[in-house]
Amino acid sequence: VKRAVVAAILVAVAADARAESRRWGSFEIGAGTYEPDIDSEFPGGPQPFEDAFGSGRGWMFRTGAALALFRYAGTVEAGLQSGYLQKTGKGRTVEGTRAGDDTRLRLIPVSLTLTYRFEWLNERLRIPFAPYGRVGLERFHWWVEDGDGDTSESGATNGWSATAGLALLLDFIDTQVARELDNDTGVNDTYLFFELTRRSVHDFGSDSSWNMSDENFGMNFGLMFVF
Amino acid sequence: MRRLWLLALSATVVGLTAACDPTPNEVPTEAEAPTPNVGQITFPTIARSATDGIINLAECSGAGTIRLKARIRFIATPNLFTEYRLYVANDDDEAITDPASTEDCQTTGSTTGLLVGLVEDPPGRGSRTENISSDFITDAEYATSRIVSALGLADPCGTSGDIHLCFQARRANQDVGTARVTLSVVVDDAPAPPVLKSVTPGEEALNVDWDATTPGAEESYAVEVGRQVDPADPLSVVTITSPRVSGTELRFENLTIGTPYNVQVRAFSDADNPSDPSNAISASPVDVRDFFESYQDAGGQEQGGCGTGGGGVLALVGLAALVALRRRS
Protein backbone atom coordinates (compact mmCIF):
# COMPACT_ATOMS: atom_id res chain seq x y z
CA VAL A 1 0.00 0.00 0.00
CA LYS A 2 2.82 2.35 0.95
CA ARG A 3 4.49 1.77 -2.40
CA ALA A 4 1.23 2.39 -4.20
CA VAL A 5 0.75 5.70 -2.41
CA VAL A 6 4.29 6.82 -3.18
CA ALA A 7 3.84 5.79 -6.80
CA ALA A 8 0.58 7.71 -7.01
CA ILE A 9 2.25 10.83 -5.58
CA LEU A 10 5.13 10.53 -8.00
CA VAL A 11 2.73 10.13 -10.91
CA ALA A 12 0.75 13.16 -9.76
CA VAL A 13 3.88 15.26 -9.36
CA ALA A 14 5.11 14.10 -12.75
CA ALA A 15 1.77 14.91 -14.33
CA ASP A 16 1.82 18.31 -12.61
CA ALA A 17 5.32 18.98 -13.91
CA ARG A 18 4.34 17.92 -17.38
CA ALA A 19 1.34 20.23 -17.27
CA GLU A 20 3.53 23.34 -16.79
CA SER A 21 4.48 25.16 -19.98
CA ARG A 22 8.00 26.15 -20.89
CA ARG A 23 9.40 29.24 -19.14
CA TRP A 24 10.60 31.98 -21.43
CA GLY A 25 10.90 34.91 -19.08
CA SER A 26 8.78 37.29 -17.11
CA PHE A 27 6.69 40.42 -17.36
CA GLU A 28 6.05 42.84 -14.53
CA ILE A 29 4.12 45.98 -13.81
CA GLY A 30 4.50 48.10 -10.73
CA ALA A 31 4.84 51.44 -9.06
CA GLY A 32 7.23 53.05 -6.65
CA THR A 33 8.35 56.30 -5.16
CA TYR A 34 11.19 58.42 -6.43
CA GLU A 35 12.65 61.84 -5.90
CA PRO A 36 15.71 63.04 -7.81
CA ASP A 37 18.53 64.45 -5.75
CA ILE A 38 19.05 67.44 -8.04
CA ASP A 39 19.34 69.89 -5.16
CA SER A 40 22.42 68.04 -3.88
CA GLU A 41 24.38 70.05 -6.45
CA PHE A 42 23.87 73.14 -4.30
CA PRO A 43 24.86 72.21 -0.74
CA GLY A 44 23.71 74.96 1.59
CA GLY A 45 22.52 77.01 -1.37
CA PRO A 46 19.32 77.37 -3.36
CA GLN A 47 17.03 74.40 -3.73
CA PRO A 48 15.51 74.80 -7.19
CA PHE A 49 13.88 71.37 -7.29
CA GLU A 50 12.23 71.70 -3.89
CA ASP A 51 11.24 75.30 -4.59
CA ALA A 52 9.45 74.24 -7.76
CA PHE A 53 8.02 70.86 -6.86
CA GLY A 54 8.05 70.62 -3.08
CA SER A 55 9.67 67.92 -1.01
CA GLY A 56 7.26 65.02 -1.49
CA ARG A 57 8.37 61.91 -3.34
CA GLY A 58 6.66 61.31 -6.66
CA TRP A 59 5.11 58.11 -7.95
CA MET A 60 6.91 56.39 -10.76
CA PHE A 61 5.08 53.71 -12.70
CA ARG A 62 7.15 51.03 -14.38
CA THR A 63 6.71 48.00 -16.54
CA GLY A 64 9.20 45.58 -17.97
CA ALA A 65 9.87 42.27 -19.62
CA ALA A 66 12.78 39.91 -19.22
CA LEU A 67 14.17 36.89 -21.03
CA ALA A 68 15.23 33.83 -19.04
CA LEU A 69 18.90 33.02 -19.67
CA PHE A 70 19.84 30.31 -17.15
CA ARG A 71 18.18 28.23 -14.50
CA TYR A 72 20.10 27.17 -11.41
CA ALA A 73 18.06 27.02 -8.20
CA GLY A 74 16.26 29.90 -9.76
CA THR A 75 16.32 31.96 -12.92
CA VAL A 76 18.72 34.49 -14.39
CA GLU A 77 16.90 36.98 -16.59
CA ALA A 78 18.00 39.87 -18.80
CA GLY A 79 15.35 42.48 -19.31
CA LEU A 80 14.22 45.90 -20.33
CA GLN A 81 12.14 48.18 -18.15
CA SER A 82 10.58 51.55 -18.69
CA GLY A 83 8.24 53.84 -16.83
CA TYR A 84 6.97 57.35 -16.34
CA LEU A 85 7.10 60.05 -13.70
CA GLN A 86 5.77 63.59 -13.74
CA LYS A 87 6.28 66.35 -11.22
CA THR A 88 4.25 69.53 -11.53
CA GLY A 89 5.05 72.71 -9.67
CA LYS A 90 5.13 76.47 -10.00
CA GLY A 91 7.68 78.59 -11.77
CA ARG A 92 9.48 81.46 -10.08
CA THR A 93 9.54 85.13 -10.86
CA VAL A 94 12.86 86.85 -11.42
CA GLU A 95 12.64 88.05 -7.83
CA GLY A 96 12.32 84.43 -6.69
CA THR A 97 8.70 84.53 -5.64
CA ARG A 98 6.20 81.88 -6.66
CA ALA A 99 4.68 82.62 -10.09
CA GLY A 100 1.30 81.64 -11.47
CA ASP A 101 2.74 79.53 -14.28
CA ASP A 102 3.16 75.80 -13.91
CA THR A 103 6.42 74.06 -14.67
CA ARG A 104 6.78 70.33 -15.17
CA LEU A 105 9.50 67.72 -15.05
CA ARG A 106 8.64 64.62 -17.04
CA LEU A 107 10.76 61.54 -16.85
CA ILE A 108 10.89 58.29 -18.81
CA PRO A 109 13.43 55.94 -17.27
CA VAL A 110 14.73 53.06 -19.37
CA SER A 111 16.66 50.26 -17.73
CA LEU A 112 18.59 47.26 -18.98
CA THR A 113 18.47 44.75 -16.15
CA LEU A 114 20.02 41.50 -15.05
CA THR A 115 17.97 39.64 -12.43
CA TYR A 116 18.48 36.50 -10.42
CA ARG A 117 15.35 35.11 -8.79
CA PHE A 118 15.92 32.36 -6.23
CA GLU A 119 13.01 29.92 -6.76
CA TRP A 120 14.44 26.96 -4.89
CA LEU A 121 12.34 27.66 -1.79
CA ASN A 122 9.13 27.09 -3.64
CA GLU A 123 10.32 24.32 -5.90
CA ARG A 124 11.86 22.24 -3.14
CA LEU A 125 10.20 23.29 0.09
CA ARG A 126 6.88 24.67 -1.16
CA ILE A 127 7.58 27.96 0.58
CA PRO A 128 5.93 30.52 -1.70
CA PHE A 129 8.64 33.14 -1.59
CA ALA A 130 11.31 34.00 -4.13
CA PRO A 131 13.93 36.54 -3.08
CA TYR A 132 15.68 38.21 -5.95
CA GLY A 133 18.41 40.66 -6.78
CA ARG A 134 18.74 42.92 -9.78
CA VAL A 135 21.32 45.24 -11.23
CA GLY A 136 20.56 47.61 -14.02
CA LEU A 137 21.96 50.23 -16.32
CA GLU A 138 19.68 53.25 -16.23
CA ARG A 139 19.02 55.95 -18.76
CA PHE A 140 16.60 58.64 -17.61
CA HIS A 141 15.09 60.62 -20.47
CA TRP A 142 13.72 63.88 -19.11
CA TRP A 143 12.25 67.12 -20.27
CA VAL A 144 11.16 70.30 -18.50
CA GLU A 145 8.10 72.28 -19.56
CA ASP A 146 7.27 75.93 -18.98
CA GLY A 147 3.90 77.51 -18.28
CA ASP A 148 2.82 77.29 -21.92
CA GLY A 149 3.51 73.57 -21.96
CA ASP A 150 6.48 74.11 -24.25
CA THR A 151 9.66 72.15 -23.68
CA SER A 152 12.23 74.36 -22.02
CA GLU A 153 15.02 71.78 -22.03
CA SER A 154 15.37 68.06 -22.49
CA GLY A 155 18.07 65.47 -22.19
CA ALA A 156 19.07 62.10 -20.84
CA THR A 157 21.10 61.09 -17.83
CA ASN A 158 22.76 57.70 -17.39
CA GLY A 159 23.50 55.64 -14.31
CA TRP A 160 23.03 52.33 -12.58
CA SER A 161 20.72 50.73 -10.08
CA ALA A 162 20.73 47.83 -7.63
CA THR A 163 17.61 46.18 -6.30
CA ALA A 164 16.78 43.67 -3.65
CA GLY A 165 13.31 42.26 -3.57
CA LEU A 166 11.02 39.59 -2.28
CA ALA A 167 8.30 38.04 -4.43
CA LEU A 168 5.34 36.19 -2.99
CA LEU A 169 4.10 33.38 -5.23
CA LEU A 170 0.33 33.75 -5.49
CA ASP A 171 -0.25 30.39 -7.13
CA PHE A 172 -0.67 28.68 -3.74
CA ILE A 173 -3.93 30.56 -3.17
CA ASP A 174 -5.64 28.50 -5.85
CA THR A 175 -3.45 25.99 -7.61
CA GLN A 176 -6.24 24.96 -9.93
CA VAL A 177 -6.68 28.51 -11.20
CA ALA A 178 -2.92 28.86 -11.53
CA ARG A 179 -2.80 25.72 -13.63
CA GLU A 180 -5.65 26.93 -15.83
CA LEU A 181 -3.91 30.27 -16.24
CA ASP A 182 -0.82 28.44 -17.44
CA ASN A 183 -2.85 26.32 -19.86
CA ASP A 184 -4.78 29.31 -21.19
CA THR A 185 -2.12 32.02 -21.30
CA GLY A 186 1.23 30.39 -20.67
CA VAL A 187 1.72 32.22 -17.37
CA ASN A 188 3.50 29.72 -15.13
CA ASP A 189 3.67 31.75 -11.94
CA THR A 190 2.18 34.97 -10.64
CA TYR A 191 4.12 36.91 -7.99
CA LEU A 192 3.36 39.92 -5.84
CA PHE A 193 6.67 41.66 -5.31
CA PHE A 194 8.13 44.29 -3.04
CA GLU A 195 11.59 45.68 -3.58
CA LEU A 196 14.06 48.34 -2.53
CA THR A 197 16.10 50.06 -5.21
CA ARG A 198 19.19 52.19 -4.99
CA ARG A 199 19.63 54.37 -8.08
CA SER A 200 22.71 56.35 -8.97
CA VAL A 201 21.88 58.36 -12.08
CA HIS A 202 24.48 61.07 -12.43
CA ASP A 203 26.19 60.23 -15.72
CA PHE A 204 28.65 58.23 -13.62
CA GLY A 205 29.86 61.31 -11.77
CA SER A 206 30.08 63.72 -14.68
CA ASP A 207 30.56 67.36 -13.67
CA SER A 208 28.28 68.59 -16.43
CA SER A 209 25.31 66.52 -15.38
CA TRP A 210 22.69 66.98 -12.73
CA ASN A 211 22.06 64.31 -10.18
CA MET A 212 18.96 62.28 -10.94
CA SER A 213 19.89 59.68 -8.31
CA ASP A 214 17.17 58.82 -5.86
CA GLU A 215 17.53 60.71 -2.61
CA ASN A 216 16.76 57.53 -0.67
CA PHE A 217 16.01 53.91 -1.40
CA GLY A 218 13.08 53.68 -3.77
CA MET A 219 10.31 51.37 -2.66
CA ASN A 220 8.49 49.57 -5.44
CA PHE A 221 5.73 47.02 -5.55
CA GLY A 222 3.73 45.30 -8.23
CA LEU A 223 2.86 42.08 -9.98
CA MET A 224 5.21 39.80 -11.87
CA PHE A 225 4.15 37.10 -14.28
CA VAL A 226 6.56 34.30 -15.18
CA PHE A 227 5.70 32.85 -18.56
CA MET B 1 -60.17 74.73 -54.69
CA ARG B 2 -59.99 71.04 -55.37
CA ARG B 3 -58.41 71.84 -58.71
CA LEU B 4 -55.79 73.94 -57.07
CA TRP B 5 -55.04 71.15 -54.67
CA LEU B 6 -54.61 68.85 -57.61
CA LEU B 7 -52.23 71.37 -59.05
CA ALA B 8 -50.45 71.40 -55.76
CA LEU B 9 -50.23 67.65 -55.81
CA SER B 10 -48.33 67.85 -59.04
CA ALA B 11 -45.50 69.74 -57.38
CA THR B 12 -42.89 68.25 -55.13
CA VAL B 13 -41.10 70.44 -52.70
CA VAL B 14 -37.85 68.82 -51.87
CA GLY B 15 -36.80 70.75 -48.82
CA LEU B 16 -37.11 73.78 -46.69
CA THR B 17 -34.68 74.56 -43.94
CA ALA B 18 -34.88 76.87 -41.02
CA ALA B 19 -31.96 77.69 -38.76
CA CYS B 20 -31.35 80.23 -36.05
CA ASP B 21 -27.63 80.44 -36.62
CA PRO B 22 -26.78 83.76 -38.20
CA THR B 23 -24.18 81.92 -40.23
CA PRO B 24 -25.79 80.95 -43.49
CA ASN B 25 -26.42 77.26 -43.82
CA GLU B 26 -25.79 75.44 -47.01
CA VAL B 27 -28.79 74.56 -49.06
CA PRO B 28 -29.69 71.08 -47.93
CA THR B 29 -29.00 68.36 -50.38
CA GLU B 30 -31.63 65.94 -51.38
CA ALA B 31 -29.91 63.31 -49.31
CA GLU B 32 -30.35 65.46 -46.21
CA ALA B 33 -33.99 66.14 -46.85
CA PRO B 34 -36.58 63.43 -46.54
CA THR B 35 -38.44 62.89 -49.76
CA PRO B 36 -41.88 64.33 -49.26
CA ASN B 37 -45.05 62.88 -50.61
CA VAL B 38 -46.33 64.56 -53.70
CA GLY B 39 -47.79 67.87 -52.76
CA GLN B 40 -46.33 67.84 -49.29
CA ILE B 41 -43.86 70.40 -48.03
CA THR B 42 -41.50 69.34 -45.28
CA PHE B 43 -38.68 70.84 -43.31
CA PRO B 44 -35.80 68.47 -43.78
CA THR B 45 -34.53 66.90 -40.62
CA ILE B 46 -31.09 68.38 -40.19
CA ALA B 47 -29.20 68.14 -36.94
CA ARG B 48 -28.86 71.52 -35.37
CA SER B 49 -26.14 72.52 -32.98
CA ALA B 50 -26.84 73.25 -29.35
CA THR B 51 -27.14 76.95 -29.97
CA ASP B 52 -29.34 76.53 -32.99
CA GLY B 53 -33.01 76.82 -32.37
CA ILE B 54 -32.51 79.01 -29.32
CA ILE B 55 -33.30 82.68 -29.23
CA ASN B 56 -31.63 84.43 -26.35
CA LEU B 57 -32.28 87.82 -24.81
CA ALA B 58 -29.97 89.71 -27.13
CA GLU B 59 -31.45 88.09 -30.20
CA CYS B 60 -34.96 88.59 -28.91
CA SER B 61 -34.34 92.29 -28.57
CA GLY B 62 -33.07 92.63 -32.09
CA ALA B 63 -29.45 91.58 -32.36
CA GLY B 64 -29.82 88.29 -34.16
CA THR B 65 -31.32 87.02 -37.33
CA ILE B 66 -32.84 83.76 -38.41
CA ARG B 67 -31.85 82.68 -41.85
CA LEU B 68 -34.21 80.54 -43.83
CA LYS B 69 -33.25 78.70 -46.92
CA ALA B 70 -35.67 76.86 -49.05
CA ARG B 71 -35.14 74.67 -52.03
CA ILE B 72 -38.32 74.08 -53.92
CA ARG B 73 -38.48 71.86 -56.94
CA PHE B 74 -41.39 71.69 -59.35
CA ILE B 75 -41.57 68.53 -61.27
CA ALA B 76 -44.61 68.86 -63.45
CA THR B 77 -46.09 72.31 -63.29
CA PRO B 78 -43.92 75.38 -63.60
CA ASN B 79 -45.09 78.72 -62.26
CA LEU B 80 -46.99 76.94 -59.56
CA PHE B 81 -46.17 79.23 -56.64
CA THR B 82 -46.50 82.92 -57.07
CA GLU B 83 -45.96 84.01 -53.50
CA TYR B 84 -45.22 82.62 -50.11
CA ARG B 85 -45.78 83.64 -46.52
CA LEU B 86 -44.21 82.95 -43.21
CA TYR B 87 -46.48 82.68 -40.18
CA VAL B 88 -45.50 82.39 -36.56
CA ALA B 89 -47.61 80.85 -33.79
CA ASN B 90 -47.11 80.12 -30.12
CA ASP B 91 -48.94 76.80 -30.29
CA ASP B 92 -48.79 74.12 -32.91
CA ASP B 93 -52.03 72.42 -31.89
CA GLU B 94 -54.38 72.29 -34.80
CA ALA B 95 -51.98 74.35 -36.81
CA ILE B 96 -52.09 71.95 -39.68
CA THR B 97 -55.36 73.25 -40.95
CA ASP B 98 -56.93 76.50 -39.99
CA PRO B 99 -60.57 75.62 -39.41
CA ALA B 100 -61.62 79.10 -40.39
CA SER B 101 -59.87 79.27 -43.72
CA THR B 102 -59.00 75.68 -44.52
CA GLU B 103 -55.44 76.82 -45.12
CA ASP B 104 -52.64 74.60 -43.94
CA CYS B 105 -50.91 77.29 -41.94
CA GLN B 106 -52.66 78.61 -38.91
CA THR B 107 -53.36 82.16 -40.00
CA THR B 108 -55.60 83.37 -37.19
CA GLY B 109 -55.64 83.00 -33.46
CA SER B 110 -58.77 80.94 -33.34
CA THR B 111 -57.89 78.77 -30.38
CA THR B 112 -57.96 80.08 -26.84
CA GLY B 113 -54.55 81.40 -25.99
CA LEU B 114 -53.25 80.86 -29.49
CA LEU B 115 -51.39 83.77 -30.99
CA VAL B 116 -50.61 83.88 -34.67
CA GLY B 117 -48.70 86.50 -36.53
CA LEU B 118 -47.51 87.11 -40.02
CA VAL B 119 -43.85 87.88 -40.51
CA GLU B 120 -44.01 90.69 -42.96
CA ASP B 121 -40.48 90.98 -44.10
CA PRO B 122 -39.84 89.77 -47.60
CA PRO B 123 -40.84 87.23 -48.67
CA GLY B 124 -43.92 88.04 -46.69
CA ARG B 125 -47.49 88.17 -47.70
CA GLY B 126 -48.06 90.19 -50.81
CA SER B 127 -44.72 91.88 -50.62
CA ARG B 128 -42.91 89.56 -52.90
CA THR B 129 -44.21 87.70 -55.88
CA GLU B 130 -42.06 85.25 -57.70
CA ASN B 131 -42.69 83.72 -61.03
CA ILE B 132 -41.31 80.49 -59.77
CA SER B 133 -39.89 77.97 -62.14
CA SER B 134 -38.27 74.65 -61.48
CA ASP B 135 -35.51 74.30 -58.88
CA PHE B 136 -36.24 77.60 -57.25
CA ILE B 137 -34.05 78.39 -54.28
CA THR B 138 -34.90 81.11 -51.86
CA ASP B 139 -32.71 82.47 -49.16
CA ALA B 140 -34.05 85.02 -46.73
CA GLU B 141 -33.05 86.45 -43.38
CA TYR B 142 -35.44 87.64 -40.72
CA ALA B 143 -34.62 89.62 -37.63
CA THR B 144 -35.22 87.33 -34.71
CA SER B 145 -36.96 90.13 -32.87
CA ARG B 146 -39.36 90.53 -35.77
CA ILE B 147 -40.33 86.89 -35.64
CA VAL B 148 -40.86 87.05 -31.90
CA SER B 149 -42.76 90.30 -32.01
CA ALA B 150 -44.97 89.02 -34.81
CA LEU B 151 -46.64 86.86 -32.19
CA GLY B 152 -48.07 89.99 -30.64
CA LEU B 153 -47.04 89.11 -27.09
CA ALA B 154 -47.17 91.97 -24.63
CA ASP B 155 -43.67 91.11 -23.39
CA PRO B 156 -42.18 88.92 -26.11
CA CYS B 157 -38.80 88.64 -24.44
CA GLY B 158 -40.18 87.95 -21.00
CA THR B 159 -41.35 84.40 -21.48
CA SER B 160 -39.64 81.24 -22.57
CA GLY B 161 -41.38 78.79 -24.82
CA ASP B 162 -41.60 77.43 -28.31
CA ILE B 163 -42.66 79.30 -31.37
CA HIS B 164 -43.70 77.60 -34.54
CA LEU B 165 -42.92 78.86 -37.99
CA CYS B 166 -45.13 77.89 -40.84
CA PHE B 167 -44.07 78.45 -44.40
CA GLN B 168 -46.88 78.67 -46.89
CA ALA B 169 -46.66 78.62 -50.66
CA ARG B 170 -49.50 80.29 -52.50
CA ARG B 171 -50.90 80.72 -55.95
CA ALA B 172 -53.84 82.84 -56.88
CA ASN B 173 -54.47 83.65 -53.25
CA GLN B 174 -54.71 80.00 -52.33
CA ASP B 175 -52.60 77.87 -50.07
CA VAL B 176 -50.90 75.16 -52.12
CA GLY B 177 -48.48 73.75 -49.58
CA THR B 178 -46.88 74.36 -46.19
CA ALA B 179 -44.01 73.31 -43.98
CA ARG B 180 -43.25 73.95 -40.34
CA VAL B 181 -40.39 74.19 -37.91
CA THR B 182 -40.25 74.88 -34.19
CA LEU B 183 -37.79 77.19 -32.47
CA SER B 184 -37.24 77.44 -28.75
CA VAL B 185 -37.36 80.92 -27.36
CA VAL B 186 -35.23 80.86 -24.24
CA VAL B 187 -35.31 84.21 -22.57
CA ASP B 188 -33.94 82.99 -19.27
CA ASP B 189 -32.52 85.54 -16.93
CA ALA B 190 -28.92 86.50 -17.33
CA PRO B 191 -26.77 84.68 -14.78
CA ALA B 192 -25.27 86.45 -11.81
CA PRO B 193 -21.76 87.74 -12.43
CA PRO B 194 -18.96 85.35 -11.46
CA VAL B 195 -16.64 86.11 -8.57
CA LEU B 196 -13.11 86.68 -9.78
CA LYS B 197 -10.87 85.00 -7.20
CA SER B 198 -7.37 85.59 -8.44
CA VAL B 199 -5.29 86.75 -11.37
CA THR B 200 -1.78 85.36 -11.14
CA PRO B 201 0.94 86.72 -13.41
CA GLY B 202 2.48 84.30 -15.85
CA GLU B 203 5.02 84.62 -18.63
CA GLU B 204 3.32 86.81 -21.24
CA ALA B 205 0.11 85.54 -19.71
CA LEU B 206 -2.30 85.90 -16.83
CA ASN B 207 -3.76 82.90 -15.01
CA VAL B 208 -7.35 83.75 -14.17
CA ASP B 209 -9.38 81.85 -11.58
CA TRP B 210 -13.00 82.49 -10.66
CA ASP B 211 -15.97 80.94 -8.88
CA ALA B 212 -18.90 79.62 -10.87
CA THR B 213 -22.01 81.72 -10.82
CA THR B 214 -24.28 78.82 -9.95
CA PRO B 215 -22.49 75.59 -9.09
CA GLY B 216 -23.59 72.83 -11.40
CA ALA B 217 -25.36 75.13 -13.82
CA GLU B 218 -24.61 74.76 -17.50
CA GLU B 219 -22.82 78.01 -18.07
CA SER B 220 -19.88 79.20 -20.04
CA TYR B 221 -17.50 82.02 -19.29
CA ALA B 222 -15.41 84.53 -21.16
CA VAL B 223 -12.51 86.47 -19.72
CA GLU B 224 -12.15 90.09 -20.74
CA VAL B 225 -8.72 91.68 -20.52
CA GLY B 226 -8.54 95.44 -20.93
CA ARG B 227 -5.44 97.52 -21.56
CA GLN B 228 -5.26 101.29 -21.43
CA VAL B 229 -3.67 102.40 -24.70
CA ASP B 230 -3.10 106.06 -23.81
CA PRO B 231 -1.83 106.54 -20.23
CA ALA B 232 -3.32 110.02 -20.24
CA ASP B 233 -6.73 108.88 -21.34
CA PRO B 234 -8.47 106.42 -19.01
CA LEU B 235 -11.13 105.82 -21.63
CA SER B 236 -8.65 104.59 -24.23
CA VAL B 237 -9.10 100.95 -23.24
CA VAL B 238 -8.71 98.09 -25.68
CA THR B 239 -10.45 94.95 -24.49
CA ILE B 240 -9.66 91.45 -25.67
CA THR B 241 -12.13 88.67 -24.95
CA SER B 242 -11.17 85.05 -24.59
CA PRO B 243 -12.98 82.19 -26.26
CA ARG B 244 -15.78 80.70 -24.16
CA VAL B 245 -14.74 78.10 -21.63
CA SER B 246 -16.83 75.83 -19.45
CA GLY B 247 -14.37 75.60 -16.54
CA THR B 248 -13.54 78.20 -13.94
CA GLU B 249 -9.93 78.95 -14.82
CA LEU B 250 -8.16 80.19 -17.89
CA ARG B 251 -4.64 81.05 -18.92
CA PHE B 252 -4.90 84.23 -21.00
CA GLU B 253 -1.85 84.24 -23.28
CA ASN B 254 -0.05 86.52 -25.73
CA LEU B 255 0.06 89.50 -23.38
CA THR B 256 2.93 91.94 -22.89
CA ILE B 257 5.25 91.56 -19.91
CA GLY B 258 5.06 94.56 -17.59
CA THR B 259 1.82 95.95 -19.02
CA PRO B 260 -1.03 96.28 -16.52
CA TYR B 261 -4.26 94.61 -17.60
CA ASN B 262 -7.69 94.92 -16.07
CA VAL B 263 -9.30 91.48 -15.90
CA GLN B 264 -12.99 90.65 -15.60
CA VAL B 265 -15.06 87.56 -16.25
CA ARG B 266 -18.54 87.32 -17.67
CA ALA B 267 -20.86 84.31 -17.41
CA PHE B 268 -23.20 83.18 -20.14
CA SER B 269 -26.33 81.14 -19.63
CA ASP B 270 -27.14 78.10 -21.70
CA ALA B 271 -29.05 80.41 -24.02
CA ASP B 272 -26.04 82.72 -24.28
CA ASN B 273 -27.46 85.44 -22.10
CA PRO B 274 -24.50 87.34 -20.60
CA SER B 275 -24.09 88.35 -17.00
CA ASP B 276 -22.75 91.66 -15.82
CA PRO B 277 -18.96 91.61 -15.57
CA SER B 278 -17.37 90.28 -12.42
CA ASN B 279 -15.26 92.28 -10.03
CA ALA B 280 -12.04 93.49 -11.65
CA ILE B 281 -8.47 92.62 -10.77
CA SER B 282 -5.47 94.32 -12.31
CA ALA B 283 -2.25 92.42 -12.95
CA SER B 284 0.77 92.48 -15.23
CA PRO B 285 2.47 89.52 -16.93
CA VAL B 286 5.99 88.86 -15.68
CA ASP B 287 9.08 86.97 -16.72
CA VAL B 288 8.68 83.48 -15.23
CA ARG B 289 11.57 81.10 -14.76
CA ASP B 290 10.58 77.48 -15.28
CA PHE B 291 12.31 74.74 -13.28
CA PHE B 292 15.24 74.30 -15.63
CA GLU B 293 15.85 78.06 -15.82
CA SER B 294 15.71 78.25 -12.01
CA TYR B 295 18.19 75.38 -11.85
CA GLN B 296 20.57 77.19 -14.17
CA ASP B 297 20.06 80.48 -12.34
CA ALA B 298 21.22 78.64 -9.22
CA GLY B 299 24.43 77.66 -11.01
CA GLY B 300 23.48 74.17 -12.13
CA GLN B 301 25.82 72.53 -14.64
CA GLU B 302 23.37 70.39 -16.61
CA GLN B 303 23.08 71.66 -20.15
CA GLY B 304 20.51 69.24 -21.53
CA GLY B 305 21.04 66.84 -24.37
CA CYS B 306 22.17 63.26 -24.18
CA GLY B 307 24.05 62.26 -21.11
CA THR B 308 27.69 61.36 -21.01
CA GLY B 309 28.93 57.90 -20.29
CA GLY B 310 28.34 54.93 -22.50
CA GLY B 311 25.95 53.20 -20.16
CA GLY B 312 23.47 52.26 -22.83
CA VAL B 313 26.09 50.89 -25.18
CA LEU B 314 27.76 48.95 -22.38
CA ALA B 315 24.44 47.47 -21.39
CA LEU B 316 23.67 46.37 -24.92
CA VAL B 317 27.08 44.75 -25.23
CA GLY B 318 26.55 42.99 -21.92
CA LEU B 319 23.11 41.81 -22.89
CA ALA B 320 24.34 40.50 -26.22
CA ALA B 321 27.11 38.60 -24.46
CA LEU B 322 24.64 37.01 -22.05
CA VAL B 323 22.31 35.94 -24.84
CA ALA B 324 25.23 34.48 -26.79
CA LEU B 325 26.37 32.60 -23.69
CA ARG B 326 22.88 31.22 -23.21
CA ARG B 327 22.73 29.93 -26.79
CA ARG B 328 26.10 28.23 -26.41
CA SER B 329 25.00 26.54 -23.23
Side-chain angles (χ1 to χ4, degrees), chain B residues 1-66:
Chain B
M1 181 69 182
R2 180 182 290 270
R3 201 168 187 178
L4 287 170
W5 273 110
L6 287 173
L7 279 172
L9 287 174
S10 66
T12 299
V13 179
V14 174
L16 179 66
T17 306
C20 286
D21 194 333
T23 306
N25 290 325
E26 293 302 315
V27 174
T29 63
E30 289 183 60
E32 291 173 307
T35 305
N37 295 324
V38 175
Q40 180 187 7
I41 298 177
T42 63
F43 282 92
T45 304
I46 296 176
R48 293 185 295 181
S49 67
T51 53
D52 282 347
I54 294 177
I55 300 171
N56 63 27
L57 272 175
E59 292 166 336
C60 192
S61 57
T65 59
I66 290 178

Side-chain angles (χ1 to χ4, degrees), chain A residues 41-42 46 53 68-69 78 91-92 100-101 103 112 114 137 139 142 147-148 152-156 158 203 206-207 209-210, chain B residues 200-203 207 251 253 287-292 295 298-302 304-309 311 315-316 319 322 326:
Chain A
E41 194 175 340
F42 317 103
F53 303 116
L69 300 176
R92 296 274 142 181
D101 280 2
T103 182
L112 282 167
L114 190 65
L137 284 167
R139 185 170 175 84
W142 52 262
D148 289 329
S152 168
E153 189 56 77
S154 63
N158 299 318
D203 276 339
S206 168
D207 289 338
S209 170
W210 60 10
Chain B
T200 318
E203 183 146 289
N207 298 286
R251 179 177 164 83
E253 298 179 340
D287 184 12
V288 175
R289 313 296 285 167
D290 61 53
F291 164 59
F292 194 79
Y295 165 82
Q301 296 301 304
E302 174 67 51
C306 291
T308 58
L316 284 174
L319 187 64
L322 283 169
R326 182 200 184 210

